[in-house]
Structure formats: C-alpha cells, structure tokens
Amino acid sequence: MLFRSARIYPFMEVSGEKKVGYQMEFVAKAANISRIIEWNGAIVMATADRGLVMFDGENFKLTKQADGLAANAINDLMLDPSDRLWVASTGGLNIQTAYGWQTYSIPIGNKGTLVEFTGMALDTRGNFWASTPNGVYKAPMGSFNGGSTPINW
C-alpha cells in the first residue's frame, strides 16, 4: 500500500516541559521524496523512482514514465511564469502543457545533448538554468533549439 493516513502530534521540550509545537497529518507513505511544491491546488511530490505523486487534499494520483514523463527518477520541480509545471529527471525535462507532457533535452553544440537534469531555476532575465552531472548550463527560456552556455567553475 502506497498511502496511509494518520495524525501525529510532534512536541518540543521547553524548560523540561513537553508542549505540542504543531500538528502534522501524515498523508503519504512514499519514500525518497526529492521535492514538494504546490501547483493548481495540489501538492506535487517528486520521487526518486516512482515519478510524480499529486495530492489534491483527498485523492492521490501517480504519474509515471508510462504516462508521458521522461523518467520515473525525478530530481526537481519548478513553476514558470505561465504556471506550467517543469519536471527535471534522469531522462530529460518535462513540461505539463494543455496537450499533456512534453519532453525536452537541451543541445550543447557539438558535445551532444543534455538529458539528465538534477536541478533547475529561472532568473529575472529570462534564462533557464539547469544543473546536470556534467555541470551547470543556462539557455534562454523557451529556446532550447540553440546551444546552451556551459558554466565552468
């Protein structure tokens, strides 16, 4: 069973006295969650081996490679200014559009194509930044058809 529900009441100790600090509700038994964000009224969880878990407050939905993701190993999640969900995985970048999941990779000139992504961000100048096992790259947002610029440290 992937999900189970239970309440926990964590406490903190202040001057030797135990006090309830906050209340949390256990909602999912899903190991290896790498990132959690809110998108379109749902909590979206990236997993290391099961794809995406989406929780709308009542129901869970699992989205996997068979559903259009580039891979089930998800490393990062991001929302762009158009409120599209971006997924960085070991198999490429996915963007959730009105037409479903679109998969992208970024060409890096004569050095091949970036496929595995470990993290991503957008800057205020409209650049997309991607971390990979081979380094950090940037590309103008929305134009992955030209070469990305490698960032050498």
Side-chain angles (χ1 to χ4, degrees), residues 35-101:
R35 182 94 158 98
I36 301 173
I37 65 170
E38 183 178 10
W39 177 63
N40 285 344
I43 297 298
V44 181
M45 296 171 263
T47 72
D49 59 357
R50 293 187 179 189
L52 294 176
V53 177
M54 297 184 193
F55 179 62
D56 66 5
E58 294 181 18
N59 302 300
F60 290 94
K61 178 183 177 191
L62 186 61
T63 303
K64 303 184 290 188
Q65 189 172 6
D67 302 312
L69 292 178
N72 287 334
I74 309 298
N75 295 317
D76 199 8
L77 301 171
M78 178 183 79
L79 298 176
D80 70 14
S82 298
D83 201 37
R84 294 179 301 176
L85 177 63
W86 288 61
V87 177
S89 75
T90 58
L93 291 172
N94 283 106
I95 303 171
Q96 176 64 47
T97 69
Y99 306 104
W101 291 104

Side-chain angles (χ1 to χ4, degrees), residues 8-14 17-24:
I8 59 172
Y9 297 90
F11 65 88
M12 57 185 176
E13 195 166 315
V14 179
E17 204 175 313
K18 292 181 181 178
K19 299 187 180 218
V20 173
Y22 52 90
Q23 176 182 339
M24 294 183 70

